[in-house]
Amino acid sequence: MKIQHWLIGGVLITAGMAVLLKESKWHRQFVDVTARKPAGRAGRRFYKDPKGHYRSFAYLLDKLALQPDEHFLDICCGGGGLLTRALRIVHYAAGLDHSADMVILTQENNPQAVAEKYLDVRQGDAGALPWADATFDVVANANALFFLPAPVKVFHEVYRVLKPGGRFALITAVKHKLVEIFFGLWSPMMTLYTDDELTAMLREAGFSDVEVYSPDGMYQIGYGVK
Ligand SMILES: C[S@@+](CC[C@H](N)C(=O)[O-])C[C@H]1O[C@@H](n2cnc3c(N)ncnc32)[C@H](O)[C@@H]1O
């Protein structure tokens, strides 16, 4: 059997399981430990080096075109893979995640930056950012919007902690049936938005120069300026 057949079979089996197990306690716990609030061995193992997210990190960094003197914040930072890449450019960064295990993993994955205090990683909720107004030049959010119960509240917080003229970019998945099937077991717990819906939410939080688009039919990028 060809690899494509295995892949298609795998996606169909996971999608079938998603339908059968939908929103059971087991299902919620599975989504939490693997993605929504990663914890334990499974969560740590994936986010230690999330190869499946490399492309999304590249899209975001490309869009943001970071400059070395900019202060960068990654909300819902997972194991800190995006922060590692941003710190190759910027001299100061911060990260936030509500999973204690992800905060530790981000610190372990960026030991020098933590030791030399140019990376500040905190545990907290994206809807109540523990930083003062106008702290950052750039804020990013990768692969997490679909788990946020109140995205506009989060966008308001991002807007608050950005300096005037600061940039915000997020990357999520496009709202499409095939994408939902692709996400299998995770899909029922994810909320995806049309480009128009995401544009409206970013504008509602105050952002200008809003852009929402898909670079490849799979990912969706949202962007705005304070
Ligand atoms: C799918 S993972 C993505 C992690 C990382 N951004 C990446 O792309 O590899 C989603 C992350 O968002 C975090 N998260 C979800 N909801 C959150 C919230 N309300 N506040 C802070 N972090 C949250 C989870 O703990 C998890 O680490």
Side-chain angles (χ1 to χ4, degrees):
M1 206 160 31
K2 285 184 182 165
I3 184 82
Q4 293 96 313
H5 296 144
W6 281 105
L7 277 174
I8 292 166
V11 167
L12 288 176
I13 289 167
T14 351
M17 283 171 70
V19 172
L20 288 174
L21 298 169
K22 196 172 174 190
E23 311 217 349
S24 64
K25 188 174 161 216
W26 181 88
H27 187 198
R28 270 196 294 276
Q29 278 172 1
F30 170 81
V31 171
D32 279 347
V33 297
T34 57
R36 193 162 54 182
K37 196 169 187 178
R41 271 178 52 184
R44 290 175 60 83
R45 183 177 297 176
F46 179 76
Y47 290 99
K48 173 117 191 89
D49 185 21
K51 291 193 172 57
H53 292 186
Y54 285 4
R55 192 152 57 102
S56 64
F57 297 158
Y59 282 140
L60 264 190
L61 292 176
D62 199 39
K63 180 67 196 161
L64 287 168
L66 295 174
Q67 300 301 311
D69 59 346
E70 290 185 316
H71 283 200
F72 173 79
L73 169 66
D74 180 14
I75 56 167
C76 308
C77 62
L82 179 63
L83 284 163
T84 304
R85 286 157 181 78
L87 282 166
R88 292 177 192 147
I89 306 166
V90 300
H91 303 316
Y92 181 83
L96 175 121
D97 202 284
H98 66 176
S99 158
D101 278 3
M102 291 302 104
V103 169
I104 293 168
L105 190 57
T106 293
Q107 290 166 335
E108 288 173 358
N109 275 340
N110 298 281
Q112 191 182 349
V114 172
E116 295 180 13
K117 298 192 187 326
Y118 56 88
L119 174 60
D120 169 19
V121 194
R122 301 191 192 179
Q123 185 181 3
D125 191 282
L129 298 176
W131 285 281
D133 297 0
T135 301
F136 298 99
D137 301 284
V138 178
V139 179
N141 174 239
N143 309 304
L145 177 72
F146 34 68
F147 291 133
L148 299 177
V152 177
K153 186 176 175 209
V154 173
F155 295 168
H156 273 293
E157 275 296 272
V158 170
Y159 191 88
R160 181 184 66 74
V161 300
L162 274 173
K163 297 175 187 170
R167 316 186 297 290
F168 173 45
L170 66 89
I171 190 155
T172 177
V174 298
K175 185 173 183 166
H176 191 285
K177 260 281 163 261
L178 285 178
V179 174
E180 285 170 20
I181 291 169
F182 173 82
F183 278 107
L185 272 178
W186 292 269
S187 195
M189 306 284 184
M190 294 166 64
T191 307
L192 304 176
Y193 302 95
T194 64
D195 288 359
D196 286 348
E197 286 167 340
L198 184 51
T199 301
M201 292 191 306
L202 287 164
R203 289 204 177 121
E204 190 183 334
F207 287 99
S208 59
D209 301 332
V210 171
E211 294 171 35
V212 175
Y213 60 94
S214 174
D216 57 7
M218 170 83 186
Y219 284 111
Q220 180 190 49
I221 291 175
Y223 174 84
V225 178
K226 177 169 178 178

